[in-house]
Every structure is written in C-alpha cells, then in structure tokens.
Amino acid sequence: MQLTHLNQQGEASMVDVTDKAVTERHARAFAEVHMSEQAYRQLSEGNNRKGDVLSVARIAGIQAAKKTADLIPLCHPLALSKVQLDFTLDPDQCRVLVQSFCRLAGRTGVEMEALTAASVAALTIYDMCKAVDPAITIGNIHLLEKAGGKRGHWHGAGTATAPATAEEN
C-alpha cells in the first residue's frame, strides 16, 4: 500500500483530493468518560458548579469538529453539513458514553472530525468535573463507522458500544 501523505522526497504532504468525486460521507466515533459516584451524581443531576456539563461538552465537540484541520496538520478543511453529539449516561458504571456523528458532501472523509468531536467532548466533561474527581479517565476512543467515497461503507466489527444517534435512524 502506498502512503498518501508523503511526497516523492518522503516528506509529509497534504493529499490532493481535487480529482476525487464529491460524495455524501459520514462518520461516527465514540469515547467513554469514567468518574467517581460523586462526580457522576453531580453531572447527572445537573448540580455541577460549572454548569450544564453535557450542553457545554456538546458545543465543544461541535466546535472541535469544525476546527479539526487547525489541530491535525494534514487534514483538509471541510464544509461540514452536520455535526451531532449524543451522550448516554450509565449509572451502573458511573460513566458517560459519547458518540459523535459528522456528515458532508465532499471529496474526503470525516473520520478525523468525528474522532476529534468525541475526544474534545470527553475532555470537556473532564474539565468541568475535575474539581470533584481529578481521577476521571477518558478512553475507548474509536471510529464506529464511516461511509462514502471510493471505499464505501465501513463498520467497526464489535465496536458499536453506544446506541445509534437519532440522526441515523
């Protein structure tokens, strides 16, 4: 397999997507945030001193998806048509499941935008809850699926640990 992010001299290079077809593309990504019972209770009951944790995390994730090309050097700036963040609260394990969904009509995929959105939403949850529990952990960040382009639809086998978002149903 030829590496597409290297030029003839072996230097990092942005891939030229000019000749690729414009297709509808989407991607979903996932992250988990584990915390103490006290931090989870404050988050789930809306009693966090910093405010509505999930609303702020949702906005942060959307903003992050839109800024992915500023954060990841070889990513193309994309005109996203949809960014959605969904959160599932799991009281049994004191965790928040984060799922992002990104869509566009374009020449390159939105996997990095979906992964960035889920990651930054998880980081925002940490930031807003760290005063109560500095031992919060973030993990299991991965791509759930991607669709569009020459390779078509890909779904991670056995990785879908969160329910489908309302947008996808």
Side-chain angles (χ1 to χ4, degrees):
M1 171 181 255
Q2 181 182 358
L3 298 175
T4 59
H5 283 78
L6 300 177
N7 66 16
Q8 291 178 342
Q9 292 76 36
E11 302 163 334
S13 174
M14 185 181 226
V15 174
D16 184 354
V17 296
T18 305
D19 295 330
K20 291 175 84 177
V22 173
T23 62
E24 189 273 322
R25 299 161 183 263
H26 72 261
R28 286 188 307 126
F30 178 84
E32 292 181 33
V33 184
H34 293 262
M35 61 190 68
S36 68
E37 277 187 51
Q38 181 184 7
Y40 181 84
R41 188 171 43 258
Q42 283 186 5
L43 180 148
S44 64
E45 294 174 359
N47 297 326
N48 186 288
R49 291 184 315 170
K50 291 188 175 183
D52 184 347
V53 175
L54 298 182
S55 291
V56 175
R58 179 173 284 111
I59 292 168
I62 291 168
Q63 285 298 104
K66 296 178 350 181
K67 294 288 190 180
T68 299
D70 293 335
L71 300 169
I72 312 288
L74 301 178
C75 285
H76 293 83
L78 301 178
L80 297 167
S81 58
K82 177 74 175 177
V83 179
Q84 180 175 330
L85 273 290
D86 292 301
F87 304 99
T88 303
L89 299 179
D90 180 359
D92 295 334
Q93 295 189 41
C94 294
R95 67 180 178 160
V96 179
L97 307 178
V98 180
Q99 189 172 180
S100 65
F101 175 79
C102 295
R103 179 172 42 210
L104 61 67
R107 291 182 164 89
T108 189
V110 293
E111 299 92 331
M112 293 309 300
E113 288 71 15
L115 286 161
T116 301
S119 299
V120 170
L123 287 167
T124 302
I125 293 168
Y126 177 92
D127 180 54
M128 293 186 73
C129 298
K130 70 183 182 225
V132 178
D133 180 11
I136 292 169
T137 61
I138 298 169
N140 199 12
I141 299 168
H142 61 276
L143 189 67
L144 293 170
E145 83 170 302
K146 66 176 227 67
K150 185 168 51 171
R151 293 197 180 114
H153 188 249
W154 175 87
H155 190 276
T159 61
T161 54
T165 64
E167 180 67 29
E168 300 166 75
N169 293 328

